[in-house]
Amino acid sequence: MQYWLMKSEPDVFGIDDLQKVSIEPWDGVRNYQARNMMRDLMQVGDQVFFYHSNCEVPGIVGIASIATKGYPDDTACNPEAKYFDPKSDPQNPRWYRVDVQFVRKLTRTISLHELREQAALQDMPLVRKGCRLSVMPVSTTEWQAILDLE
């Protein structure tokens, strides 16, 4: 099993939204590095920290799991979709997504500020200045260190 962190803005799609629908496609990722992780590395059953970004207190708010392997993100080919990419071709997909499934909310938000204070997390991409990736791997050691903070 691998571990991941996936960011979403709570006013767009937050942990409460995922809890209501149970399973949701994680679409709209338009970064090649994040796409490659979803397309090539994520496996059904991998665990995910659900992270709220661009909000008053950014941080980890819940846990989800990967419900499907990566598959083409058809929103890229839909001119009506928010994440339309005119260069995307359905015959040669540029963008991929996975479905994520709600597991649970954390008992509290573990803030980015708190994460940055943890010595065990100093190599985690999330705590580095300027990290803008919306999808990133989490090591087993980092996963456990974060759960211990809860």
Side-chain angles (χ1 to χ4, degrees), residues 41-113:
L41 301 175
M42 289 184 175
Q43 300 294 319
V44 173
D46 285 357
Q47 298 292 289
V48 176
F49 280 130
F50 195 110
Y51 182 94
H52 280 173
S53 63
N54 291 335
C55 56
E56 188 174 328
V57 181
I60 298 170
V61 295
I63 297 175
S65 66
I66 300 300
T68 63
K69 288 187 68 156
Y71 62 97
D73 182 348
D74 59 3
T75 65
C77 298
N78 179 354
E80 305 296 316
K82 179 177 181 181
Y83 301 111
F84 173 63
D85 177 357
K87 294 181 181 176
S88 201
D89 176 2
Q91 302 307 314
N92 186 19
R94 176 181 291 208
W95 303 112
Y96 281 71
R97 63 184 175 192
V98 294
D99 292 354
V100 295
Q101 182 169 15
F102 178 82
V103 173
R104 70 178 179 90
K105 288 183 181 181
L106 295 187
T107 56
R108 66 182 187 87
T109 298
I110 302 173
S111 72
L112 178 59
H113 176 77

Coordinates of all heavy atoms in Angstrom, one line a residue, residues 41-113:
L41 N 0.9 5.4 -10.6 CA 1.3 4.9 -9.3 C 0.2 4.6 -8.3 O 0.4 3.7 -7.5 CB 2.3 5.9 -8.6 CG 3.5 6.3 -9.4 CD1 4.3 7.4 -8.7 CD2 4.4 5.0 -9.6
M42 N -0.9 5.3 -8.4 CA -1.9 5.0 -7.4 C -2.6 3.7 -7.7 O -2.9 3.4 -8.9 CB -3.0 6.2 -7.4 CG -2.5 7.4 -6.8 SD -3.7 8.7 -6.8 CE -2.9 10.0 -5.9
Q43 N -2.9 3.0 -6.6 CA -3.5 1.7 -6.7 C -4.8 1.7 -5.8 O -4.8 2.4 -4.8 CB -2.6 0.6 -6.3 CG -1.3 0.5 -7.1 CD -1.6 0.1 -8.6 OE1 -2.4 -0.8 -8.8 NE2 -0.9 0.7 -9.5
V44 N -5.7 0.8 -6.2 CA -7.0 0.7 -5.4 C -6.5 0.3 -4.0 O -5.7 -0.6 -3.8 CB -7.9 -0.4 -6.0 CG1 -9.1 -0.7 -5.1 CG2 -8.4 0.1 -7.4
G45 N -7.1 1.0 -3.0 CA -6.8 0.7 -1.6 C -5.7 1.6 -1.0 O -5.6 1.6 0.2
D46 N -5.0 2.3 -1.8 CA -4.0 3.2 -1.3 C -4.8 4.2 -0.4 O -5.9 4.6 -0.7 CB -3.3 4.0 -2.4 CG -2.2 3.2 -3.1 OD1 -2.0 2.0 -2.7 OD2 -1.6 3.7 -4.1
Q47 N -4.1 4.7 0.6 CA -4.7 5.6 1.6 C -4.3 7.1 1.2 O -3.2 7.3 0.8 CB -4.3 5.3 3.0 CG -4.8 3.9 3.4 CD -6.3 3.8 3.5 OE1 -6.9 4.4 4.4 NE2 -7.0 3.2 2.6
V48 N -5.2 8.0 1.5 CA -5.0 9.4 1.1 C -5.4 10.3 2.3 O -6.5 10.2 2.9 CB -6.0 9.8 0.0 CG1 -5.9 11.2 -0.4 CG2 -5.7 8.9 -1.2
F49 N -4.5 11.2 2.6 CA -4.9 12.4 3.5 C -5.6 13.4 2.6 O -5.1 13.8 1.6 CB -3.6 13.0 4.1 CG -3.1 12.3 5.3 CD1 -1.7 12.0 5.3 CD2 -3.9 11.9 6.3 CE1 -1.2 11.3 6.4 CE2 -3.4 11.2 7.4 CZ -2.0 10.9 7.5
F50 N -6.8 13.8 3.1 CA -7.6 14.8 2.4 C -7.2 16.1 3.0 O -7.4 16.3 4.2 CB -9.1 14.5 2.6 CG -10.0 15.3 1.6 CD1 -10.6 14.6 0.6 CD2 -10.2 16.6 1.8 CE1 -11.5 15.3 -0.2 CE2 -11.0 17.3 0.9 CZ -11.7 16.7 -0.1
Y51 N -6.7 17.1 2.2 CA -6.1 18.3 2.7 C -7.0 19.5 2.2 O -7.2 19.6 1.0 CB -4.7 18.4 2.2 CG -3.9 19.7 2.6 CD1 -3.1 19.7 3.7 CD2 -4.0 20.8 1.9 CE1 -2.4 20.8 4.1 CE2 -3.3 22.0 2.2 CZ -2.5 21.9 3.4 OH -1.8 23.0 3.7
H52 N -7.4 20.4 3.1 CA -8.1 21.6 2.6 C -7.1 22.7 2.4 O -6.3 23.0 3.3 CB -9.1 22.0 3.7 CG -10.4 21.3 3.7 ND1 -11.3 21.4 4.7 CD2 -10.9 20.4 2.9 CE1 -12.4 20.7 4.4 NE2 -12.1 20.0 3.3
S53 N -7.1 23.3 1.2 CA -6.2 24.3 0.8 C -7.0 25.6 0.6 O -8.2 25.6 0.4 CB -5.4 23.9 -0.4 OG -6.2 23.8 -1.5
N54 N -6.2 26.7 0.5 CA -6.8 28.0 0.2 C -8.0 28.3 1.1 O -9.1 28.7 0.6 CB -7.2 28.1 -1.3 CG -6.0 28.2 -2.2 OD1 -4.9 28.6 -1.8 ND2 -6.2 27.8 -3.4
C55 N -7.8 28.2 2.4 CA -8.9 28.5 3.3 C -8.2 29.1 4.6 O -7.0 29.2 4.6 CB -9.6 27.2 3.7 SG -8.6 25.8 4.3
E56 N -9.0 29.4 5.6 CA -8.5 30.1 6.7 C -7.5 29.3 7.5 O -6.4 29.8 7.9 CB -9.7 30.4 7.7 CG -9.3 31.3 8.9 CD -10.5 31.7 9.7 OE1 -11.6 31.8 9.2 OE2 -10.3 31.8 10.9
V57 N -7.7 28.0 7.6 CA -6.7 27.1 8.3 C -6.5 25.9 7.4 O -7.1 24.9 7.5 CB -7.2 26.6 9.7 CG1 -6.1 25.7 10.3 CG2 -7.5 27.8 10.6
P58 N -5.5 26.0 6.5 CA -5.2 24.9 5.6 C -4.6 23.7 6.4 O -3.9 24.0 7.4 CB -4.1 25.4 4.7 CG -3.9 26.9 4.9 CD -4.6 27.2 6.2
G59 N -5.1 22.5 6.1 CA -4.6 21.4 6.8 C -5.3 20.1 6.4 O -6.2 20.1 5.6
I60 N -4.8 19.0 7.0 CA -5.4 17.7 6.8 C -6.6 17.6 7.6 O -6.6 17.8 8.8 CB -4.3 16.6 7.1 CG1 -3.1 16.8 6.3 CG2 -4.9 15.2 7.0 CD1 -1.9 15.9 6.7
V61 N -7.7 17.2 6.9 CA -9.0 17.1 7.6 C -9.6 15.7 7.6 O -10.6 15.5 8.3 CB -10.0 18.1 7.0 CG1 -9.5 19.6 7.2 CG2 -10.2 17.9 5.5
G62 N -9.1 14.8 6.8 CA -9.7 13.5 6.7 C -8.9 12.5 6.0 O -7.7 12.8 5.5
I63 N -9.4 11.3 5.9 CA -8.8 10.2 5.2 C -9.7 9.6 4.1 O -10.9 9.5 4.4 CB -8.3 9.1 6.2 CG1 -7.3 9.7 7.1 CG2 -7.8 7.9 5.4 CD1 -6.9 8.7 8.2
A64 N -9.2 9.4 3.0 CA -9.9 8.7 1.9 C -9.1 7.5 1.4 O -7.9 7.3 1.8 CB -10.2 9.7 0.8
S65 N -9.6 6.8 0.5 CA -8.9 5.7 -0.2 C -9.0 5.8 -1.7 O -10.0 6.4 -2.1 CB -9.3 4.4 0.4 OG -10.6 4.1 0.0
I66 N -8.1 5.3 -2.4 CA -8.2 5.2 -3.8 C -9.2 4.1 -4.2 O -8.9 3.0 -3.8 CB -6.8 5.0 -4.5 CG1 -5.8 6.2 -4.1 CG2 -6.9 4.9 -6.0 CD1 -6.3 7.6 -4.5
A67 N -10.2 4.5 -4.9 CA -11.3 3.5 -5.3 C -11.1 2.9 -6.7 O -11.7 1.9 -7.0 CB -12.6 4.2 -5.1
T68 N -10.4 3.6 -7.6 CA -10.1 3.1 -8.9 C -8.7 3.4 -9.3 O -8.1 4.4 -8.8 CB -11.0 3.7 -10.0 OG1 -10.7 5.1 -10.0 CG2 -12.5 3.5 -9.7
K69 N -8.2 2.6 -10.2 CA -6.9 3.0 -10.8 C -7.1 4.2 -11.7 O -8.3 4.5 -12.0 CB -6.4 1.8 -11.7 CG -5.9 0.7 -10.8 CD -5.2 -0.4 -11.7 CE -3.9 0.2 -12.3 NZ -2.9 -0.8 -12.6
G70 N -6.0 4.8 -12.1 CA -6.2 6.0 -13.0 C -6.9 5.7 -14.3 O -6.6 4.7 -14.9
Y71 N -7.7 6.7 -14.7 CA -8.4 6.5 -16.0 C -8.5 7.9 -16.6 O -8.4 8.9 -15.9 CB -9.7 5.8 -15.9 CG -10.7 6.5 -15.0 CD1 -11.7 7.3 -15.5 CD2 -10.7 6.4 -13.6 CE1 -12.7 8.0 -14.7 CE2 -11.7 7.0 -12.8 CZ -12.6 7.8 -13.4 OH -13.6 8.4 -12.6
P72 N -8.7 8.0 -17.9 CA -8.8 9.3 -18.6 C -9.8 10.3 -18.0 O -10.9 9.9 -17.7 CB -9.1 9.0 -20.0 CG -8.6 7.6 -20.2 CD -8.8 6.9 -18.9
D73 N -9.4 11.5 -17.8 CA -10.3 12.5 -17.3 C -11.0 13.2 -18.4 O -10.5 14.0 -19.1 CB -9.5 13.6 -16.5 CG -10.3 14.7 -15.9 OD1 -11.5 14.8 -16.2 OD2 -9.8 15.5 -15.1
D74 N -12.3 12.7 -18.6 CA -13.0 13.2 -19.8 C -13.5 14.7 -19.7 O -13.9 15.2 -20.7 CB -14.2 12.3 -20.1 CG -15.2 12.2 -18.9 OD1 -15.0 12.8 -17.9 OD2 -16.2 11.4 -19.1
T75 N -13.3 15.3 -18.5 CA -13.7 16.7 -18.4 C -12.7 17.5 -19.3 O -13.1 18.6 -19.7 CB -13.6 17.2 -17.0 OG1 -12.3 17.2 -16.4 CG2 -14.6 16.4 -16.1
A76 N -11.5 17.0 -19.6 CA -10.6 17.7 -20.4 C -11.0 17.9 -21.8 O -10.6 18.8 -22.5 CB -9.2 17.0 -20.4
C77 N -11.9 17.0 -22.2 CA -12.4 17.0 -23.6 C -13.8 17.6 -23.8 O -14.3 17.7 -24.9 CB -12.4 15.6 -24.2 SG -10.8 14.9 -24.2
N78 N -14.3 18.1 -22.7 CA -15.7 18.6 -22.7 C -15.6 20.1 -22.7 O -15.3 20.7 -21.7 CB -16.5 18.1 -21.5 CG -17.9 18.6 -21.4 OD1 -18.3 19.5 -22.2 ND2 -18.7 18.1 -20.5
P79 N -16.0 20.8 -23.8 CA -15.9 22.3 -23.8 C -16.8 23.0 -22.8 O -16.5 24.1 -22.5 CB -16.4 22.6 -25.2 CG -16.3 21.4 -26.0 CD -16.4 20.2 -25.1
E80 N -17.7 22.3 -22.3 CA -18.6 22.9 -21.3 C -18.1 22.7 -19.8 O -18.6 23.3 -18.9 CB -20.0 22.2 -21.3 CG -20.7 22.2 -22.7 CD -21.0 23.7 -23.1 OE1 -21.4 24.5 -22.3 OE2 -20.7 24.0 -24.3
A81 N -17.0 21.9 -19.7 CA -16.5 21.5 -18.4 C -15.6 22.6 -17.9 O -14.9 23.3 -18.7 CB -15.8 20.2 -18.4
K82 N -15.5 22.8 -16.6 CA -14.6 23.8 -15.9 C -13.2 23.5 -16.3 O -12.4 24.5 -16.4 CB -14.8 23.7 -14.4 CG -14.0 24.7 -13.6 CD -14.3 24.6 -12.2 CE -13.5 25.6 -11.4 NZ -13.8 25.5 -9.9
Y83 N -12.8 22.3 -16.4 CA -11.4 21.9 -16.6 C -11.1 21.5 -18.1 O -10.1 20.8 -18.3 CB -11.0 20.8 -15.7 CG -11.2 21.2 -14.2 CD1 -12.1 20.6 -13.4 CD2 -10.4 22.2 -13.6 CE1 -12.3 21.0 -12.1 CE2 -10.5 22.6 -12.3 CZ -11.5 22.0 -11.6 OH -11.7 22.4 -10.3
F84 N -11.8 22.1 -19.0 CA -11.6 21.8 -20.4 C -10.2 22.1 -20.9 O -9.7 23.2 -20.5 CB -12.7 22.5 -21.3 CG -12.4 22.5 -22.7 CD1 -12.5 21.2 -23.4 CD2 -12.2 23.6 -23.5 CE1 -12.3 21.2 -24.8 CE2 -12.0 23.5 -24.9 CZ -12.0 22.3 -25.5
D85 N -9.6 21.3 -21.7 CA -8.3 21.5 -22.2 C -8.4 21.3 -23.7 O -8.5 20.2 -24.2 CB -7.2 20.6 -21.6 CG -5.9 20.7 -22.3 OD1 -5.7 21.6 -23.2 OD2 -5.0 20.0 -21.8
P86 N -8.4 22.4 -24.5 CA -8.6 22.3 -26.0 C -7.5 21.4 -26.7 O -7.8 20.9 -27.8 CB -8.5 23.7 -26.5 CG -7.9 24.5 -25.4 CD -8.1 23.8 -24.1
K87 N -6.4 21.2 -26.0 CA -5.3 20.3 -26.6 C -5.5 18.9 -26.3 O -4.8 18.0 -26.8 CB -4.0 20.8 -26.2 CG -3.6 22.2 -26.7 CD -2.3 22.6 -26.2 CE -1.9 24.0 -26.7 NZ -0.7 24.5 -26.2
S88 N -6.5 18.5 -25.4 CA -6.7 17.2 -25.0 C -7.4 16.4 -26.1 O -8.3 16.9 -26.8 CB -7.5 17.1 -23.7 OG -7.3 15.9 -23.1
D89 N -7.1 15.2 -26.3 CA -7.6 14.3 -27.4 C -8.2 13.0 -26.7 O -7.4 12.3 -26.1 CB -6.5 14.0 -28.4 CG -7.0 13.0 -29.5 OD1 -8.1 12.6 -29.5 OD2 -6.1 12.7 -30.3
P90 N -9.4 12.7 -26.9 CA -10.0 11.5 -26.3 C -9.3 10.2 -26.8 O -9.2 9.2 -26.0 CB -11.4 11.5 -26.8 CG -11.7 12.8 -27.3 CD -10.4 13.4 -27.7
Q91 N -8.7 10.2 -28.0 CA -8.0 9.1 -28.5 C -6.6 8.9 -27.9 O -6.0 7.9 -27.9 CB -7.9 9.1 -30.0 CG -9.2 9.2 -30.7 CD -10.2 8.1 -30.3 OE1 -9.8 6.9 -30.2 NE2 -11.4 8.5 -29.9
N92 N -6.1 10.0 -27.4 CA -4.7 10.0 -26.8 C -4.8 10.9 -25.5 O -4.4 12.1 -25.5 CB -3.7 10.6 -27.8 CG -2.3 10.5 -27.2 OD1 -2.0 9.7 -26.3 ND2 -1.4 11.3 -27.8
P93 N -5.4 10.4 -24.4 CA -5.7 11.3 -23.3 C -4.5 11.9 -22.7 O -3.4 11.3 -22.5 CB -6.3 10.3 -22.3 CG -6.7 9.1 -23.0 CD -5.8 9.1 -24.2
R94 N -4.6 13.2 -22.4 CA -3.5 13.9 -21.7 C -3.7 13.9 -20.2 O -2.7 13.9 -19.5 CB -3.6 15.4 -22.2 CG -2.6 16.3 -21.6 CD -2.7 17.7 -22.1 NE -2.3 17.7 -23.5 CZ -1.8 18.8 -24.1 NH1 -1.7 19.9 -23.5 NH2 -1.4 18.7 -25.4
W95 N -4.9 13.9 -19.7 CA -5.2 14.1 -18.3 C -5.9 12.8 -17.7 O -6.8 12.3 -18.4 CB -6.0 15.3 -18.0 CG -5.3 16.5 -18.5 CD1 -5.6 17.3 -19.6 CD2 -4.0 17.1 -18.1 NE1 -4.7 18.3 -19.8 CE2 -3.7 18.2 -18.9 CE3 -3.1 16.7 -17.1 CZ2 -2.6 18.9 -18.7 CZ3 -2.0 17.4 -16.9 CH2 -1.7 18.6 -17.7
Y96 N -5.5 12.5 -16.5 CA -6.1 11.3 -15.9 C -6.7 11.7 -14.5 O -6.4 12.7 -14.0 CB -5.1 10.2 -15.7 CG -4.8 9.4 -17.0 CD1 -4.2 10.0 -18.0 CD2 -5.2 8.1 -17.1 CE1 -4.0 9.3 -19.2 CE2 -5.0 7.4 -18.3 CZ -4.4 8.0 -19.3 OH -4.2 7.4 -20.5
R97 N -7.5 10.8 -14.0 CA -8.1 11.0 -12.7 C -8.2 9.6 -12.0 O -8.1 8.6 -12.6 CB -9.4 11.7 -12.7 CG -10.5 10.9 -13.5 CD -11.8 11.7 -13.6 NE -12.8 11.1 -14.4 CZ -13.9 11.6 -14.8 NH1 -14.1 12.9 -14.6 NH2 -14.7 11.0 -15.6
V98 N -8.5 9.6 -10.7 CA -8.8 8.4 -10.0 C -10.1 8.8 -9.2 O -10.5 9.9 -9.1 CB -7.7 8.1 -8.9 CG1 -6.5 7.6 -9.6 CG2 -7.5 9.2 -7.9
D99 N -10.8 7.8 -8.7 CA -11.9 8.0 -7.9 C -11.4 7.8 -6.4 O -10.6 6.9 -6.1 CB -13.1 7.0 -8.1 CG -13.7 7.2 -9.5 OD1 -13.4 8.2 -10.1 OD2 -14.6 6.4 -9.8
V100 N -11.9 8.7 -5.5 CA -11.5 8.6 -4.1 C -12.8 8.3 -3.3 O -13.9 8.7 -3.7 CB -10.8 9.8 -3.6 CG1 -9.5 10.1 -4.3 CG2 -11.7 11.1 -3.8
Q101 N -12.6 7.5 -2.3 CA -13.7 7.1 -1.4 C -13.5 7.6 0.0 O -12.4 7.5 0.6 CB -13.8 5.6 -1.4 CG -15.0 5.1 -0.6 CD -15.2 3.6 -0.8 OE1 -14.4 2.9 -1.3 NE2 -16.4 3.1 -0.4
F102 N -14.5 8.1 0.6 CA -14.5 8.6 2.0 C -14.2 7.5 2.9 O -14.7 6.4 2.8 CB -15.8 9.3 2.3 CG -15.9 9.8 3.7 CD1 -15.3 11.0 4.1 CD2 -16.5 9.0 4.7 CE1 -15.4 11.5 5.4 CE2 -16.5 9.5 6.1 CZ -16.0 10.7 6.4
V103 N -13.2 7.7 3.9 CA -13.0 6.8 4.9 C -13.4 7.4 6.2 O -14.3 6.8 6.9 CB -11.5 6.4 5.0 CG1 -11.2 5.5 6.2 CG2 -11.1 5.6 3.7
R104 N -12.9 8.5 6.6 CA -13.3 9.2 7.8 C -12.8 10.6 7.9 O -11.8 11.0 7.2 CB -12.8 8.4 9.1 CG -11.3 8.4 9.3 CD -11.0 7.7 10.6 NE -9.6 7.7 10.9 CZ -8.9 8.6 11.6 NH1 -9.6 9.6 12.1 NH2 -7.6 8.5 11.8
K105 N -13.4 11.4 8.7 CA -12.9 12.7 9.1 C -11.9 12.5 10.2 O -12.0 11.6 11.0 CB -14.0 13.7 9.5 CG -14.9 14.1 8.5 CD -15.9 15.1 9.1 CE -16.9 15.6 8.2 NZ -17.8 16.6 8.8
L106 N -10.9 13.4 10.3 CA -10.0 13.4 11.4 C -10.8 14.0 12.6 O -11.7 14.8 12.4 CB -8.7 14.2 11.1 CG -7.8 13.6 10.1 CD1 -6.5 14.5 10.0 CD2 -7.5 12.2 10.2
T107 N -10.3 13.7 13.8 CA -11.0 14.3 15.0 C -10.7 15.8 15.1 O -11.4 16.5 15.8 CB -10.5 13.6 16.3 OG1 -9.0 13.7 16.3 CG2 -10.9 12.1 16.3
R108 N -9.7 16.3 14.4 CA -9.4 17.7 14.3 C -8.6 18.0 13.0 O -8.0 17.1 12.5 CB -8.6 18.2 15.5 CG -7.2 17.6 15.6 CD -6.5 18.0 16.9 NE -5.1 17.5 16.9 CZ -4.1 18.2 16.3 NH1 -4.3 19.4 15.7 NH2 -2.9 17.8 16.4
T109 N -8.6 19.2 12.6 CA -7.7 19.6 11.5 C -6.3 19.7 12.0 O -6.0 20.3 13.0 CB -8.1 21.0 11.0 OG1 -9.5 20.9 10.5 CG2 -7.2 21.5 9.9
I110 N -5.4 19.0 11.3 CA -4.0 19.1 11.5 C -3.4 20.2 10.6 O -3.3 20.0 9.4 CB -3.3 17.8 11.4 CG1 -3.9 16.8 12.3 CG2 -1.8 17.9 11.6 CD1 -3.4 15.3 12.1
S111 N -3.2 21.4 11.1 CA -2.9 22.5 10.3 C -1.5 22.4 9.6 O -0.6 21.7 10.1 CB -2.9 23.8 11.1 OG -1.8 23.9 12.0
L112 N -1.3 23.1 8.5 CA -0.1 23.2 7.8 C 1.0 23.8 8.8 O 2.1 23.3 8.8 CB -0.2 24.1 6.6 CG 1.1 24.3 5.8 CD1 1.7 23.0 5.3 CD2 0.9 25.2 4.6
H113 N 0.6 24.7 9.6 CA 1.6 25.3 10.6 C 2.1 24.2 11.5 O 3.3 24.1 11.7 CB 0.9 26.4 11.3 CG 1.7 27.0 12.4 ND1 2.7 27.9 12.2 CD2 1.7 26.8 13.8 CE1 3.3 28.2 13.3 NE2 2.7 27.6 14.3

